Amino acid sequence: SGVHAATIAEYAITVLLALAHRVPRMVEWQAKGVWPPDGERWSLFVPTELRGSTLGIIGYGSIGRELARIAKTAFGMVVLACKRDPSRREDSGYALPGTGDPEGVLPDAWFPPEKLSELLVRSDAVVMCAPLTPETEHMIGAGELRAMKPSAYFINVGRGATVDEAALAQALAEKRIAGAAVDVFAQEPPPAGHPLYGPANVLVSPHVSGFLPSYDDKCAELFAENLRRYLDG
């Protein structure tokens, strides 16, 4: 736990920037080999501003904490954190030096799961980082998506089954939210014709947000540190 927090947080920022700056549309026009007419450039490519906007993080563990650090320091975003027990703000888990929020000082507001809707209403982007447990299964469903702003983005880097995928696909198709990026699915690989393959306002990736060239080395370092602590009692 914590070994790939930085790279997953970077992935979340990457896809958020891609959605906000209309990168999928740029790729579409590049594939056509044409320049969009001036009358369409503004309507198609005006971005969503991230600076000063509000980021809601569901699951404030190692990934959520590093995501909060990047969002606050690089983009001046307001950070809202949803955690099973918001009164326990510190985290003594593994983190690379200079990453994360071990003391839990970055969020501007904290929410328990039963007040998740308040976080969703206020957020311009929502990132699901929570693990899959009986309590988090389908934590994001049709009702939660309706609570989000029509201009908001949703990103899932946690576990696929924490989200009702059919409800998310419908919300995207009906443009009830502005866009989404999905790296995890309830069934992997997803079956052919999965509804999230259809909407144009979604980025789909094959569960790669945690890929890290130095993963084995960092796991070995973490294991050695845990072994040292164990031997020291």
Side-chain angles (χ1 to χ4, degrees):
S1 177
V3 166
H4 42 38
T7 194
I8 296 178
E10 289 172 10
Y11 168 95
I13 291 292
T14 297
V15 292
L16 179 55
L17 283 168
L19 290 166
H21 284 269
R22 316 300 190 235
V23 172
R25 289 180 184 170
M26 296 178 190
V27 174
E28 289 175 8
W29 281 91
Q30 178 184 353
K32 295 176 185 178
V34 294
W35 188 272
D38 284 347
E40 295 183 40
R41 285 172 62 238
W42 177 263
S43 61
L44 289 174
F45 294 105
V46 62
T48 300
E49 293 183 271
L50 292 190
R51 178 155 298 279
S53 64
T54 298
L55 174 65
I57 301 174
I58 305 173
Y60 204 64
S62 58
I63 298 167
R65 290 167 188 266
E66 174 61 3
L67 178 57
R69 187 191 67 80
I70 297 172
K72 293 280 282 194
T73 58
F75 299 101
M77 298 181 81
V78 175
V79 171
L80 311 179
C82 179
K83 190 176 183 291
R84 182 172 54 187
D85 182 0
S87 67
R88 299 178 60 185
R89 300 188 176 183
E90 296 183 1
D91 182 13
S92 60
Y94 173 83
L96 294 170
T99 68
D101 179 25
E103 295 179 354
V105 298
L106 292 177
D108 296 277
W110 297 78
F111 300 86
E114 56 268 25
K115 293 190 176 180
L116 175 61
S117 61
E118 297 181 26
L119 176 148
L120 297 173
V121 166
R122 292 171 55 179
S123 297
D124 299 297
V126 176
V127 181
M128 169 61 84
C129 305
L132 179 60
T133 68
E135 290 74 28
T136 63
E137 186 171 4
H138 280 197
M139 189 176 190
I140 299 295
E144 287 73 23
L145 292 163
R146 280 194 296 270
M148 292 176 62
K149 300 176 182 180
S151 58
Y153 299 110
F154 178 79
I155 297 166
N156 191 4
V157 293
R159 286 292 181 264
T162 61
V163 177
D164 182 336
E165 294 172 346
L168 176 59
Q170 185 173 358
L172 289 162
E174 296 175 358
K175 294 183 169 54
R176 284 190 275 111
I177 60 174
V182 179
D183 185 54
V184 289
F185 292 82
Q187 176 184 333
E188 296 184 353
H194 190 284
L196 284 174
Y197 281 137
N201 51 346
V202 61
L203 292 172
V204 171
S205 55
H207 204 152
V208 296
S209 64
F211 281 14
L212 189 65
S214 59
Y215 182 79
D216 289 346
D217 291 338
K218 287 184 172 62
C219 282
E221 293 170 7
L222 175 56
F223 175 82
E225 172 62 17
N226 279 333
L227 179 60
R228 183 191 65 78
R229 294 185 184 197
Y230 174 76
L231 294 174
D232 285 348

